[in-house]
Amino acid sequence: MVGERKKRILIAKPGLDGHDRGAKVVARALRNAGMEVIYAGLHQTPLQIVNTAVDEDVEAIGLSILSGAHKTIFPKVMALLKQKGISDILVFGGGTIPKKDWGKLKSMGVGEIFPPGSDTRKIAAYLYKVLEEKN
Amino acid sequence: MNNPDYMEAREYGEDVSLDEERYSNLSGFHIKPLYGPEDIPKFDYGTDLGLPGEYPFTRGIYSTMYRGKPWTIRQLGSLGSPSEANRRIRQLIQMGSTGVSICLDMPTIMGRDSDDPMSEGEVGSCGGVAIDSLEDMRNLMEGLPLDEISINFVSNSQSPVILAMFVAVAGEHGIPLAKLNGTMQNDILKEYQAQKSYYFPPRPSMRLTIDTLHFCSEDMPLFNPISISGYHLASAGATPVQELAFTLANGFTYIEEGIKAGLSVDSFAPRLSFFFKAHNNFFENIAKFRAARRIWSRTIREKYKAGDPRSWRFRVHTQTSGSSLTAQEPENNIMRVTIQALSAVLGGTQSLHTNAFDEAFSIPTPRSEKLALRAQQIIARESGVINTADPLGGSYYIEALTNEMESVSYEYFREIENLGGVISAIEKGFYQSAIADSAFKYQEEIEKKKRIVVGLNEFVTDEEVDIELREPDPEFEKQKVADLIALKKNRDLNVVKTCLNEVRQVIQGSDNVMPVLIKAVKSRVTLGEIINVMRDIFGEFREESIY
Amino acid sequence: MSKLFNEDVIEEITRNGDQWQQNAGHAGKANDREFRTLSGIPVEPVYTPEHTADMDYLRDLGFPGEPPFVRGVHPTMYRERTWTMRQLAGYGPPEETNKRYKLLLSEGATGINGIFDYPTLRGYDSTDPLARADCGRGGVAIDTLEDMRILFDGIPLEEVSSSLVTCQPICNITVQSMYFANARNRGVPLDKLTGTSQNDFLMETCMATAPGVLPPKASFKLSCDAIEYCTKHVPRWNPISFAGYNYRESGCTADQEVAFVIANAIACSEEMVRRGLDVDSFAPRLSFFMNGQSDFFEEIAKYRAARRVWYRVMKERFKAKDPRSLAFRFHVQTAGVALTAQQPLNNIARSAYHALSAALGGAQSVHIDGYDEALCIPTELSSITALRCNQILQLETRVTNTVDPLGGSYFVEALTGKLEEKILMLLEEMDGLGGIVKATETGWIHGKIADAAYEYQNDIETGKMPVVGVNCYRMDNEVLPIELFEVPETAKVQEKRLKRIKKERSDSEVQRALDAISRCCDEDGNLMEVIVESVQSLVTEGEITEILKDKYGVWNPPLF
């Protein structure tokens, strides 16, 4: 719609893992779905991610984690956001994050987790829905 | 013909039109309904196929192939701590594995010690071994008959250090270097193209690689110092024909760099080996292997003038496709892996790793790992496919497909050449965009149901997945870090300082780095310390993100 | 003439091959006793155009859907329509099996494949004292038309193709009749029904048999009655599915499997012709049921050889003209005997490649065994997993993209030729014996199978035939990682039902039905014509069987 600002999303790969196929495909899919996507690239620290999110004024951060380090990284990101007094950025994620860990993540304030086999259209729809509701 | 056997309770799929797209393979070739002699018009048995073990090796690199000697069953065997990994390896060997692959944890892959701040939360991750110092390598190799088994180190940018450690430990076992059998992945080109665990820019990385090649060619003739990998390219999204073309182009680049560094091609080419993926598309996969053998032998003989027939042989390890396995209905993955493994065998692989069915969840449990191993044993012992070499040779479809893979590969070679060669193409972002395009197309096809994945976008059930998972051990990281700190305290810091200076010197010069590295690791300099010095001198590589 | 290589090229290749063999060492020796197919055919270290030098493309291969049909019975095979995924189901009382049918259909199976319990297969009622222990085991229990109604309740008979694994004529004559009668009661005209019945007299007389079965000639007659009935009234039904699968499970070799089914088909065709039917009126509906065994390439070659042999038999012996008479259409079930009780999950890998070879061999429909095959009848999970394997092969591997992908392979073509040779030899031998019914009466078939079965077991016990988990890579103290299927209570259910039915039905109608059957036997009429009507009276299978055995006597198969 004319005048309406495109949703800005940051996609990042925290930690040391370099397998970025999923993150890239999702980034492109979200772009095709009409969002503005900043792909932060590889080997990002939680601090780098949060700083980029602030600088780029994004509405949501998507973290791609395949290494099992989600139990360390998500809490760090959430803590940093809190520290900076940011409460309106949605944090969501994807990768090999077992279902049994989702509850804990959600209780920290993390949004939806998209496991292997997720449909990118669903991710886009989710983002649109949640970000609309926030506004 | 109105055959009622064909009446079905449910119509599968759309109306049948002989719609081209529907009958394409992963590489995008349109497959004809039938292949006959007319599809291989200029076929000459002698020049195109020949006999197995003879140039151009299309039918296999050894004359009797599996009749003479079965492929090596080489399953990945790792677990966070080196001593636990050691135990797993011994178990696998007992169960019938004839070679072992060892992969590294994320921090080691990224050249960082366990106590590096960036390593937090990732020590022992992904089923990889944490290697900080010689101590760890020693524990990993404890009691293993290094002169009898074949070890494959899945190490890349850190290879010079890992190799140095391996050499040092072999020395402690009293085993002459000339007897050491094994492989190191050590393929940095594919890091820039796909896996992204690079440290420095391509050119200094290439220098380090050539140093390792040189070292091995002189002192470790049974060791394969490089496994030029297509698997990662394919996992990142490359189609089978891209995997084929890009891998071979990388191989040729290593040849050229070796020659530039003053090595004679026959001094190192015989020990180059390759690493392919076994995709879901059965026949396409088989054709890929055959085309690879033919292209490699022709090019290395005619273009690079290799005279030793062992240089002409394309030796390959295969892993079944992890990215094709689903989290949904994981038992289905057993079938997928079996069929993929069979295609690799019919393609003539020298060694094979089969994935476990819980691939999409975690690293394998002992049970899932055993099942994966059994699939190979069943194919080898029960199916009879080993009785003859290249059983599909002569099939019109296979020969036509092999030819097509070959000709499309040559198109890619030309394109890369026009960009100034592989390294130049990397710097220009060619691989990143080619692979990202293929990856996106693949996902799109799945979402549009042009490509079916059973249990994922067709025949989906809402089941609760109930399989046991292997859990990482949080205590492990704590312990590892503590051990490392203790080790760092208990060494001669002056010696460490001297060694690091020597490293700093040698990498700025043109001497082979290996002797200096070996000395350093023996003095308990850590992997991270060495890599950090290199980072300091070479700089870090930052890629332009193309998606 | 469409030879593929000219003579001097073959000579050159042969010369190079000889030289190569000299250099290749021990493993390169041809005729090495170590390297044989499962059925004992020696395998060369490599196959080249030398081995297919006599092959003439148009004469020996041709195109799919055209003589000699080696490359496939239809022109576009799986491109046009993939093989039917027909997973076997049957256990307990009919209401239970009905549930499993519906489950499989809802999960994507494309046809029904129903098997009956041991008592039903032998013609006994569930209440027969001989039957109690086996009631509901190995298949579903069917005693009367009422059971048939329950079995197919809610399943659209005119849309779903049903394969009825009735095994042998003594069962088929009644159960098949019940199926047709049920269809008519539901208002579905017989000419709309599609499906298959097994109905193979060799099953009754040679495979897994017991004393006291119908004599071969009588069993054969019942089988032919069904074929005749269907030809006239149920034109889209395959009234017989020659059970090569079972011959193979009993122990015979690949070439015997094909030779026996074809010899059986020859006998049926001769009888039909004798009864005055035109060959093209029934031959298109003769179908075959083959085994998917462990030797990957031998199986593929076997299917291809079968197609070529059948074509030539039908064309030359019976002068069939309709292309559908000339096409060897077959269903494959992956080999049960190859699956192990030890480490049962390994069976998933086995069945996957068994099924793949069936697909590469051009099967029209495929059943994949459950991984718990050696332990119990399939659980829901093993059933679904087997179905998924079928689906993965069809949808993910792209082997369906082209027809007969292995065509032209020197090895496969050579092996196809070799198997054809052996099959033809056996057919000739059986002709010499007077045909397959004769060969059964004299015990010749039993002897052949027993010999082969013994050798097979010997090979396993000596380790010559490796079986992972059994004679190599064994696991001591294995804990079964799977749940086993428990057959639900059947005998009591059936007993209760039969009691009620016997009370409610009209005794005089039943007697009339039985008399009609009796008369038909005396007059040598078509029994199915009569029995299809008889079952409406709710006469039981056991009651019908009793009459047949009374009229035809019983026979004890020879033991070896």
Side-chain angles (χ1 to χ4, degrees), chain B residues 4-5 12 23-24 31-33 35 52 59 67 329 336 367 374 382-383 388-389 391 393-396 454, chain C residues 20 27 29 43-45 47 71 79 84 285 296 343 345 350 388 395-396 398 402-403 405 407-410 468:
Chain B
D5 266 356
Y12 157 65
Y23 302 104
S24 61
I31 306 300
K32 296 174 58 172
Y35 286 79
R59 304 199 71 184
R67 233 170 122 113
E329 291 187 356
R336 291 187 175 102
R367 185 162 86 84
R374 292 283 179 257
E382 298 181 14
S383 74
T388 196
S395 145
Y396 310 117
V454 172
Chain C
W20 172 90
K29 291 220 309 269
V43 177
E44 306 265 334
Y47 285 78
R71 303 201 74 180
R79 268 172 87 109
T84 308
R285 292 264 150 260
F296 188 71
Q343 302 173 40
L345 290 176
R350 290 187 175 100
R388 292 284 177 255
L395 299 174
E396 295 183 16
R398 306 265 159 138
T402 198
V403 180
S409 148
Y410 313 117
V468 173

Side-chain angles (χ1 to χ4, degrees), chain B residues 168-240:
Chain B
V169 167
E172 289 175 5
H173 282 218
I175 303 204
L177 294 186
K179 280 209 149 135
L180 286 178
N181 213 316
T183 316
M184 194 151 268
Q185 200 167 84
N186 195 22
D187 171 11
I188 44 105
L189 289 175
K190 66 106 170 35
E191 294 301 327
Y192 300 101
Q193 294 159 356
Q195 186 158 248
K196 315 295 172 71
S197 63
Y198 45 71
Y199 314 148
F200 334 113
R203 292 178 204 277
S205 300
M206 181 59 85
R207 177 275 178 90
L208 291 176
T209 306
I210 299 298
D211 277 359
T212 58
L213 283 185
H214 201 157
F215 179 82
C216 291
S217 76
E218 287 182 357
D219 296 318
M220 296 171 68
L222 293 185
F223 196 77
N224 307 297
I226 186 168
S227 181
I228 302 159
S229 305
Y231 182 89
H232 313 78
L233 308 179
S235 295
T239 65

Side-chain angles (χ1 to χ4, degrees), chain C residues 67-112:
Chain C
F69 295 96
V70 175
R71 303 201 74 180
V73 300
H74 297 289
T76 49
M77 286 303 288
Y78 308 133
R79 268 172 87 109
E80 187 178 352
R81 195 88 73 144
T82 47
W83 64 87
T84 308
M85 294 182 286
R86 214 182 266 283
Q87 292 292 121
L88 212 50
Y91 56 88
E95 50 268 39
E96 291 295 320
T97 299
N98 176 268
K99 282 191 222 150
R100 183 64 74 86
Y101 284 172
K102 286 174 169 156
L103 173 68
L104 287 170
L105 286 174
S106 74
E107 286 298 335
T110 42
I112 282 188

Side-chain angles (χ1 to χ4, degrees), chain B residues 339-360:
Chain B
I339 292 166
Q340 290 161 5
L342 181 59
S343 80
V345 167
L346 295 178
T349 189
Q350 276 56 67
S351 73
L352 180 61
H353 163 98
T354 34
N355 285 333
F357 67 84
D358 42 13
E359 169 81 15

Side-chain angles (χ1 to χ4, degrees), chain A residues 22 25-30 32-33 35 92-95 102 112-128, chain B residues 327-328 440 442-451 453 455-458 460:
Chain A
V25 167
V26 168
R28 195 199 280 212
L30 294 181
N32 288 358
M35 303 186 198
F92 67 102
W102 294 1
E112 196 76 17
I113 301 291
F114 295 97
S118 295
D119 191 310
T120 55
R121 292 168 296 184
K122 256 186 150 162
I123 302 175
Y126 162 76
L127 288 172
Y128 273 122
Chain B
Q328 297 72 14
F440 191 74
Y442 185 90
Q443 180 64 19
E444 214 177 27
E445 285 176 356
I446 287 181
E447 293 183 6
K448 295 210 171 112
K449 282 199 172 186
K450 282 191 159 168
R451 176 175 306 282
V453 179
L456 180 63
N457 62 3
E458 191 81 292
V460 180

